Amino acid sequence: QNTVIEGVGVCSVAVVPIEERKPARLILARAGESEFTVQERNLLRGMARVLALTLTMLERQKLLERLSKIQRSISHRAPLQQVLDAITTGATELMGVEVAGLRVVDPADPSYSLIVSTSGVSEEVLESIRRTPIGEGAGGRAILEEGLVIIDEYDRAPDAVPGFVAKHLQVAMAAPVYENGVVAGSLVVASYKHGRRFNETEQEGLLALAEHASLALTDAKTVDAMREAQRSKDMFLAMVSHELKTPLTVIMGALRTLQVHGADLPEELTNEMLDAGWKRGKELERLIDRLLQGARAELAGTEEEVRVSDLIREAVRGFEHSRSVAMKGAPDVLVRMDKHAVLEVLGILLENAVAHSPGHGEVAVQASMSDSELTVSVSNPGSLPEDLDPDSLFLPFQRGSAVRSSGVGLGLYIAGRVAESVDGRIRVHSEDGQVRFTLQV
C-alpha cells in the first residue's frame, strides 16, 4: 500500500505481523510508488519470523538470568521474604506488566488466601485484596484449579477481584505454587493496558517463576524445621547435661572427701555421705532409664493377644505397696496390642499419680473398650500446675513451680512418645480436685 510519510513523501509500505506477538508488526517503507514484489514480501515475512525468534531468545535469556539469581538466593538461604519479593519484581520486569503478586493459602482458614509479596500494587488496592476467598480472581482460581489461569477482559469476569475491577484491570494470568507437592498458593501477573494478551512464551515464563516460588517455600519450611530440630536437640542435650551433672557433682564430692579424709571421719558422717551418694546414684539411674525409654519409643514393638483385665493388674502390681491403688474396672476381653509399650505408659502415669498425690490420697485405675479402642484412665487427688498449660506437661523437662517430686520432668514426655509409637494418645483433665490422665490406644 502507498502512504505519505512526513519528510519523505509518498512511500510504498509493506506490513508483516510478528508471529505470536500481536499486535506487533514489522513495517518497511520505500520512497516512491513502486510496490513490493512477491519475493520482497516473502523475504520480509522471513525477517519477521527471524525477529520473532530473536525476541523469544532474548526473553528466554532474561528469564534464565532472573531464575539463576533466584536460585542463588534460595541456595544461599536468603530470607524467604527477600526471595519472594525478587520473584514478584522479576515477574513484572520479564512480563512487561504493571502488577505481580504472590498468594498463599491462609493456614488459619484454607478457604482464603493471603498476599505475601507484591510488585506494582498501591497500598490502597493492597488493603482491599490482602485476604480473598479461594476461587476469586486469577490467583484464587489457579489455587482451586491447580493449573494456569488467564482472564482476558478482566473487568467483565464474574470471579474478578473487586479491588482490581475498580482500578480497571484488563488482563491477569496466574500459575499455582506448591509446597512439598501440595498446592500452597499462586503467582499472578496482570496489566492495565487495553488489548494486552499473554503469549505462549510469557505463559511458560510465569510457570517457571512459579516453580521457583514453590522451591523457595518448600526449602524455607525444610530449613525452619531443621533449625528448630537443632535448637530442640541443643536444648535437650544442655538440660540433660545439667540434670546429670548435679547428682554427679554430689557423688564425686563425697567420694573425694572419703578418699582424702575417710580415716578421720566419724562413722556416722561416713554413712551419711555414702547414703547421699547412693541416693544421687539412684537419681542418675532413673534419669538414664527415662532417656533410654524415650529412645526406645522410636522403635516399633511387637503386637500380641492381651487380656485387658490381666494387663491392668500387671500395670498396678507393685504400686499398691506405696499407695492405695483402686481398680475401678477392667473388661475381661482379649485385644491385640504392643503390651510392653502400654505397660510402660501406664507405669509412668501411675508413678506420676503417686508422686503428685497429696498425703495418702487414693489412685484409681479404670479401663474400658469401645470400637476396638482401649481406654485406660489413671486419676489421683490434686490439681494441675497453675503456671503450666496442660499440653506443655508432655514437653521435656516441664515441672510446675510447686511440684513436690524429685523427678526432672521427662516422665510424661516419654509416656507421650511411647503412646504415639503405638498410634495412641494421652489426654489430661482436672476437675473437682481430681487429675485424670487418659490413655487411648
Side-chain angles (χ1 to χ4, degrees):
Q1 66 182 32
N2 295 328
T3 189
V4 177
I5 299 177
E6 185 178 353
V8 179
V10 177
C11 293
S12 179
V13 178
V15 181
V16 178
I18 299 178
E19 294 178 1
E20 297 183 1
R21 294 179 178 273
K22 298 177 182 179
R25 299 285 188 272
L26 177 60
I27 303 173
L28 186 64
R30 180 167 59 195
E33 298 184 5
S34 59
E35 296 183 356
F36 288 91
T37 65
V38 174
Q39 290 80 2
E40 289 173 328
R41 290 180 181 279
N42 288 337
L43 178 61
L44 189 59
R45 292 190 185 94
M47 292 173 63
R49 284 194 290 272
V50 172
L51 180 58
L53 290 173
T54 302
L55 291 174
T56 299
M57 290 175 63
L58 289 174
E59 288 182 350
R60 291 185 182 277
Q61 179 63 29
K62 289 181 180 179
L63 176 62
L64 289 173
E65 290 174 358
R66 176 68 65 172
L67 294 179
S68 178
K69 290 181 180 178
I70 294 171
Q71 285 178 333
R72 284 198 297 272
S73 296
I74 296 172
S75 63
H76 292 164
R77 300 288 188 254
L80 178 61
Q81 190 62 52
Q82 181 180 322
V83 176
L84 299 183
D85 290 344
I87 291 173
T88 52
T89 300
T92 56
E93 295 175 359
L94 289 168
M95 305 294 170
V97 295
E98 306 93 299
V99 176
L102 183 62
R103 291 188 166 277
V104 296
V105 176
D106 186 351
D109 185 354
S111 63
Y112 282 82
S113 65
L114 303 171
I115 282 284
V116 294
S117 178
T118 62
S119 177
V121 180
S122 67
E123 193 63 33
E124 175 190 356
V125 175
L126 183 59
E127 284 303 315
S128 67
I129 66 167
R130 196 176 296 278
R131 186 173 184 268
T132 57
I134 298 294
E136 184 175 272
R141 281 182 50 191
I143 296 172
L144 188 65
E145 300 173 15
E146 298 189 31
L148 188 72
V149 171
I150 299 176
I151 302 179
D152 297 322
E153 299 181 351
Y154 192 89
D155 53 353
R156 298 184 183 181
D159 50 8
V161 177
F164 279 126
V165 173
K167 294 296 182 179
H168 309 292
L169 194 73
Q170 298 298 306
V171 61
M173 176 171 63
V177 170
Y178 296 86
E179 184 181 308
N180 290 317
V182 178
V183 66
S186 62
L187 179 62
V188 188
V189 291
S191 176
Y192 293 105
K193 294 178 182 177
H194 288 275
R196 178 70 161 90
R197 295 294 182 267
F198 294 108
N199 59 42
E200 184 177 343
T201 302
E202 291 170 327
Q203 294 173 31
E204 293 175 354
L206 184 66
L207 288 170
L209 286 168
E211 288 178 1
H212 280 67
S214 302
L215 178 62
L217 289 175
T218 301
D219 184 73
K221 187 64 69 67
T222 302
V223 170
D224 286 345
M226 290 173 61
R227 287 173 178 166
E228 182 59 33
Q230 184 63 42
R231 281 194 295 268
S232 297
K233 187 185 77 171
D234 292 344
M235 181 199 74
F236 186 85
L237 290 176
M239 297 186 79
V240 167
S241 298
H242 175 268
E243 296 296 339
L244 288 172
K245 185 177 180 180
T246 301
L248 191 59
T249 299
V250 175
I251 294 172
M252 296 300 291
L255 290 176
R256 182 60 176 168
T257 300
L258 290 171
Q259 182 184 43
V260 176
H261 305 290
D264 302 323
L265 294 177
E267 183 179 354
E268 182 179 353
L269 181 57
T270 299
N271 290 335
E272 285 181 7
M273 295 178 66
L274 290 173
D275 184 61
W278 183 85
K279 289 180 178 177
R280 291 295 185 173
K282 293 299 291 184
E283 289 180 14
L284 279 175
E285 182 182 48
R286 283 195 296 272
L287 177 57
I288 293 170
D289 284 343
R290 285 284 188 255
L291 293 172
L292 291 174
Q293 287 172 350
R296 287 198 298 271
E298 303 292 338
L299 304 175
T302 303
E303 291 189 348
E304 58 184 288
E305 290 284 342
V306 179
R307 190 171 297 278
V308 174
S309 55
D310 293 340
L311 177 75
I312 302 303
R313 275 193 289 270
E314 185 172 349
V316 171
R317 189 174 298 126
F319 286 97
E320 66 268 27
H321 300 304
S322 58
R323 182 62 55 88
S324 173
V325 179
M327 288 182 57
K328 298 291 187 179
D332 191 26
V333 295
L334 287 173
V335 294
R336 189 169 185 81
M337 63 172 59
D338 184 340
K339 174 184 174 181
H340 296 289
V342 174
L343 283 174
E344 189 167 341
V345 173
L346 293 179
I348 293 173
L349 295 182
L350 283 163
E351 182 181 321
N352 185 73
V354 169
H356 296 282
S357 297
H360 297 285
E362 182 182 77
V363 174
V365 182
Q366 185 168 6
S368 62
M369 290 291 301
S370 177
D371 298 328
S372 300
E373 184 177 65
L374 172 65
T375 299
V376 184
S377 65
V378 178
S379 59
N380 63 274
S383 60
L384 296 177
E386 295 181 358
D387 54 339
L388 288 180
D389 180 83
D391 290 338
S392 68
L393 292 172
F394 297 95
L395 298 176
F397 303 106
Q398 294 297 308
R399 306 175 76 231
S401 57
V403 69
R404 293 183 298 274
S405 70
S406 61
V408 297
L410 279 174
L412 291 177
Y413 165 71
I414 292 170
R417 294 290 298 276
V418 176
E420 288 175 4
S421 73
V422 291
D423 297 325
R425 60 190 181 277
I426 302 173
R427 302 185 188 281
V428 59
H429 181 70
S430 180
E431 188 177 36
D432 299 331
Q434 288 283 321
V435 176
R436 182 172 65 255
F437 284 86
T438 303
L439 169 66
Q440 292 178 300
V441 62

